[in-house]
C-alpha cells in the first residue's frame, strides 16, 4: 500500500486519462463553482493535481491570480504552461500561506487522502485560514451513502459498519496500474461539524451524480459538494 503522495507520483502519467473517465461529474462541479463565485479575484486550488481543472475554473472566474498547491511533484510537473500560476509543492496539513484568497477549491475527495480525522481537521482549518473574510471555498468529498454509485447492498453494509462503529469504517483501497493506496469515503454529513468549527458557514450543499454529473436533491444519489462562506 502506497502513501497518497507516492501513489499520485506513480500514476501522474495516466492522471488525465483517469480524470477523463469522470468527465461529466468533474465538469458539473467546475461549472457550479464558476456559476456561484465572484469574478476577477484571487483564486487558489488546494490539492490541485495536474492543474487541468484549476485551469478551467481560473478561466471561468477570470481569476486575477491563481495559486496551485499539491504534495505530488509529478502531478504539478504537468500543470499547463499557459496557466499563470504560483505553484507550491507541499501538504495541506502543513500549509502556511502568507496570501489570502477570495475563492479556494479543494476538489475530488482530496480530504479523503488524509490518514485520520485529526489531519482532516487540521487541513480544513488551514484551508479556512487561506480564505479572505467574506470569501468562498468549495470542497467536495465522496459519499459512502451514495446508493446511486455504490449500490444499495454496499451502502447498507456501510450503514451497519457505522452503527456498530466498526474499526476501519469508511476506508477503501484504490488502485491504478501497479499502484495502490487507500482512501477515506465520508459519510454524507460527516464533514459538516469539521467545516463549521473551522470558521466556515455551509452556504449550499450539492449532490452531484458521480456517473453523469446530474444534480440531485437526495444525499444518497450523489457525491457531496460544499459551497462554504468564510465567517468574518
Ligand atoms: C483525486 S486527486 C484530485 C486532484 C484535483 N483536485 C482534480 O480534481 O483533478 C487528489 C489529489 O489530492 C492530492 N493530495 C492528497 N493528499 C494531499 C495533501 N496532504 N496535501 C496536498 N495534496 C494532497 C493528491 O496529490 C492529488 O493530486
Amino acid at each position: 500500500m502506497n502513501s497518497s503522495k507516492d501513489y499520485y507520483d506513480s500514476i501522474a502519467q495516466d492522471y488525465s486519462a483517469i480524470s477523463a473517465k469522470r468527465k461529466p461529474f468533474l465538469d458539473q462541479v467546475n461549472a457550479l463553482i464558476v456559476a456561484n463565485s465572484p469574478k476577477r479575484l484571487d483564486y487558489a486550488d488546494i490539492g490541485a493535481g495536474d492543474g487541468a481543472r484549476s485551469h478551467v475554473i481560473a478561466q471561468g472566474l477570470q481569476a486575477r491570480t491563481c495559486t496551485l498547491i499539491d504534495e505530488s511533484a509529478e502531478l504539478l510537473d504537468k500543470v499547463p504552461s499557459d496557466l499563470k500560476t504560483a505553484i507550491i509543492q507541499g501538504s495541506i496539513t502543513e500549509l502556511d500561506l502568507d496570501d489570502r484568497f477570495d475563492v479556494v477549491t479543494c476538489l475530488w475527495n482530496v480530504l479523503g487522502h488524509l490518514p485520520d480525522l485529526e489531519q482532516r481537521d487540521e487541513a480544513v482549518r488551514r484551508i479556512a485560514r487561506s480564505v479572505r473574510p467574506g470569501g468562498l471555498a468549495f470542497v467536495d468529498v465522496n459519499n459512502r451513502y451514495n446508493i446511486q454509485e455504490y449500490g444499495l447492498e454496499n451502502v447498507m453494509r456501510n450503514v451497519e459498519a457505522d452503527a456498530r462503529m466498526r474499526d476501519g469504517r469508511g476506508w477503501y483501497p484504490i488502485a491504478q496500474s501497479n499502484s495502490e493506496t487507500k482512501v477515506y469515503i465520508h459519510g454524507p454529513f460527516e464533514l459538516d461539524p469539521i467545516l463549521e468549527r473551522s470558521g466556515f458557514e455551509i452556504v449550499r450543499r450539492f449532490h452531484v451524480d458521480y456517473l453523469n454529473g446530474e444534480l440531485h436533491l437526495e444525499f444518497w444519489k450523489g457525491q457531496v459538494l460544499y459551497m462554504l462562506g468564510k465567517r468574518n
Side-chain angles (χ1 to χ4, degrees):
M1 192 73 70
N2 298 112
S3 69
S4 172
K5 181 176 179 308
D6 289 347
Y7 174 77
Y8 280 103
D9 277 344
S10 71
I11 66 161
Q13 292 302 336
D14 304 324
Y15 188 75
S16 69
I18 296 165
S19 301
K21 293 186 188 152
R22 290 291 177 191
K23 188 172 173 4
F25 168 78
L26 301 175
D27 284 353
Q28 174 71 282
V29 172
N30 295 349
L32 287 167
I33 294 166
V34 170
N36 286 284
S37 297
K39 307 293 180 293
R40 290 176 284 280
L41 295 172
D42 299 317
Y43 167 55
D45 191 12
I46 300 181
D50 65 357
R53 298 180 70 195
S54 332
H55 196 183
V56 171
I57 295 168
Q59 283 193 330
L61 299 178
Q62 300 163 55
R64 187 164 58 190
T65 64
C66 176
T67 300
L68 307 191
I69 297 118
D70 202 282
E71 66 172 1
S72 164
E74 300 291 332
L75 277 176
L76 288 174
D77 263 359
K78 308 221 164 292
V79 171
S81 54
D82 56 338
L83 181 58
K84 290 200 185 71
T85 47
I87 295 179
I88 299 169
Q89 193 216 334
S91 172
I92 326 175
T93 53
E94 290 162 10
L95 196 61
D96 192 12
L97 299 172
D98 291 331
D99 296 324
R100 298 288 176 269
F101 305 91
D102 303 288
V103 179
V104 173
T105 54
C106 182
L107 300 176
W108 205 4
N109 204 37
V110 172
L111 293 178
H113 290 280
L114 301 175
D116 53 39
L117 175 63
E118 285 69 34
Q119 295 209 39
R120 285 197 288 279
D121 234 327
E122 184 61 36
V124 172
R125 258 200 303 274
R126 287 175 191 253
I127 293 169
R129 218 180 293 153
S130 72
V131 183
R132 291 198 173 112
L136 292 176
F138 294 84
V139 174
D140 72 28
V141 287
N142 288 2
N143 163 19
R144 66 176 180 260
Y145 289 6
N146 182 353
I147 296 174
Q148 192 98 330
E149 178 63 23
Y150 305 119
L152 182 60
E153 204 175 312
N154 286 325
V155 169
M156 290 314 292
R157 219 174 281 136
N158 293 340
V159 170
E160 194 195 349
D162 288 344
R164 294 182 188 274
M165 299 176 76
R166 209 166 269 149
D167 281 351
R169 61 191 183 278
W171 285 101
Y172 300 87
I174 53 168
Q176 294 288 341
S177 316
N178 290 325
S179 196
E180 191 182 16
T181 189
K182 59 177 187 167
V183 68
Y184 187 72
I185 309 291
H186 284 77
F189 302 98
E190 190 178 354
L191 207 53
D192 295 22
I194 301 180
L195 295 166
E196 282 164 346
R197 67 177 170 254
S198 301
F200 281 127
E201 168 199 358
I202 299 172
V203 180
R204 284 184 75 178
R205 145 203 299 279
F206 301 94
H207 307 121
V208 187
D209 195 298
Y210 209 30
L211 187 65
N212 59 26
E214 270 175 34
L215 287 180
H216 296 290
L217 293 176
E218 303 89 346
F219 70 77
W220 61 89
K221 289 188 178 174
Q223 314 295 33
V224 184
L225 169 66
Y226 292 92
M227 174 175 171
L228 304 164
K230 172 77 180 285
R231 286 200 295 266
N232 291 322

